[in-house]
Amino acid sequence: MRGGIDLGGTKIQVVVVDDQNKVVREARHPTPKDGGPAGVVNAMAAAMKEAAEAAKVETSALAGAGVGSPGAADPATGEVSQAINVLPEWTGSHPVGADLSAALGTKVAVGNDVDVATDAEFQIGAGREFDSILGVFWGTGVGGGLILDGKPWNGRGAAGEIGHMVVKMHGAQCGCGRRGCMEAYAGRGSMELEARKRHDDGEHTELFKIMRHKDRDRLSSGVWAKALEEHDPLAEKLVHRAVKALGAGVASAVNLLDVECVIIGGGMGTRLGEEYASKIEDAMMPHLFKDDRPPAVRVASLGDLGGAIGAALLVSE
Ligand SMILES: [Zn+2]
């Protein structure tokens, strides 16, 4: 058995998988807001131990554990850097691989979260019949992962930032400081800012009532899904706007790369599912140069656990 850890800004999702990559046990802990990198490593170790115990295996008996982390993960050194916009107090570079390996008593490999989730869909998920895929992870931001001719494509280390494809010149302000990025319209963080602004300006919406009812402090994917179910007009408007932006941005990426398949994952992507993947597919059509042979568009089949399963694949060799 192997362990996989998906490290996110709000939660740490852990799985124990068998040699067929089937999930044997899982555990989920909140990402600690204080305690810095050491606190995050301790929380990952605790979650892994909990899942391993439930699977009746010592962590030291695991064949290894993988971590999918935000930011830049160096597979050679196990260090993670550039994660400060997602993880609190994460300045500089931290030896996640070495520290976690010491805590668990087994070897640990690290990779970028979006890359491992894309690789999981490619190897055992919705993209397994294809050679070239684009993973689009629609969540708080919009991340992208690329497999071209069977191999991950990272460029000089920063490829796949599909959220920052420009869909409108001089458009909406993006969290990255630039304007008009796809993420400025489609990222759940930007959607929430826009919803708050319009709500404050007097537009009617049930979004924040649903949020409080669900005991959340932000507009989670579940809150958006519930508001859509109730035909909340502002939620419908903002999700429609997000879908249009995704259509333009993803189609532009397809015009450049001509991948066989686009996989829609992430919190929003998996929660809204087939219905919205097909809306994104429709929104791509007017922007596709070769519109007589569009790529397949699929929902990530590993769902919420894809990141953790992908992390476990890091130690499969
Ligand atoms: Zn941006």
Side-chain angles (χ1 to χ4, degrees):
M1 288 194 273
R2 289 169 285 123
I5 304 173
D6 183 16
L7 172 58
T10 54
K11 66 170 196 281
I12 294 166
Q13 174 71 58
V14 168
V15 295
V16 172
V17 299
D18 65 13
D19 55 358
Q20 303 296 311
N21 295 308
K22 289 273 172 298
V23 175
V24 181
R25 281 287 188 275
E26 56 164 305
R28 179 184 285 203
H29 285 200
T31 307
K33 297 271 179 276
D34 39 32
V40 170
V41 169
N42 286 341
M44 286 195 284
M48 193 71 251
K49 283 175 182 165
E50 185 185 316
E53 198 174 305
K56 298 189 168 45
V57 58
E58 296 284 329
T59 57
S60 58
L62 293 170
V67 181
S69 167
D74 186 332
T77 65
E79 303 226 343
V80 171
S81 57
Q82 296 166 37
I84 187 77
N85 58 340
V86 182
L87 299 169
E89 298 172 43
W90 205 284
T91 47
S93 176
H94 294 278
V96 169
D99 288 357
L100 197 58
S101 176
L104 298 177
T106 187
K107 68 174 177 178
V108 172
V110 300
N112 171 269
D113 52 359
V114 174
D115 289 346
V116 302
T118 301
D119 198 46
E121 290 297 335
F122 176 70
Q123 287 195 42
I124 57 174
R128 62 189 178 280
E129 73 203 72
F130 302 107
D131 289 327
S132 295
I133 65 167
L134 168 64
V136 179
F137 295 89
W138 181 19
T140 309
V142 184
L146 272 172
I147 309 270
L148 300 178
D149 268 344
K151 294 194 204 83
W153 175 261
N154 292 308
R156 293 176 296 158
E161 290 292 351
I162 195 164
H164 305 281
M165 299 278 287
V166 176
V167 294
K168 188 170 182 178
M169 299 276 281
H170 315 293
Q173 180 75 47
C174 181
C176 74
R178 296 166 190 85
R179 286 190 170 275
C181 302
M182 181 165 95
E183 187 170 301
Y185 299 91
R188 197 176 50 211
S190 299
M191 290 170 70
E192 175 166 345
L193 285 176
E194 188 67 20
R196 284 189 191 281
K197 192 173 133 243
R198 295 196 193 186
H199 183 52
D200 290 346
D201 289 347
E203 263 191 69
H204 175 75
T205 180
E206 299 289 316
L207 274 166
F208 298 100
K209 204 181 284 176
I210 296 168
M211 178 188 84
R212 285 189 295 274
H213 190 71
K214 284 182 175 280
D215 211 18
R216 296 298 177 101
D217 54 5
R218 0 183 203 187
L219 300 182
S220 62
S221 301
V223 171
W224 285 101
K226 179 82 180 146
L228 289 174
E229 240 172 66
E230 295 181 2
H231 303 288
D232 180 81
L234 183 60
E236 285 183 337
K237 228 185 284 178
L238 291 179
V239 171
H240 177 70
R241 183 172 176 256
V243 165
K244 297 276 275 190
L246 286 162
V250 174
S252 300
V254 169
N255 290 343
L256 180 68
L257 298 166
D258 196 22
V259 290
E260 299 166 272
C261 178
V262 174
I263 292 171
I264 311 287
M268 288 290 271
T270 51
R271 178 59 76 110
L272 299 183
E274 296 292 347
E275 183 188 350
Y276 281 82
S278 112
K279 286 182 197 286
I280 293 168
E281 191 173 9
D282 291 343
M284 287 166 58
M285 289 309 292
H287 305 289
L288 283 176
F289 184 67
K290 281 275 184 192
D291 58 1
D292 57 334
R293 33 156 232 155
V297 176
R298 297 191 177 166
V299 178
S301 67
L302 303 171
D304 248 6
L305 295 181
I309 296 169
L313 287 173
L314 287 172
V315 285
S316 60
E317 285 88 36

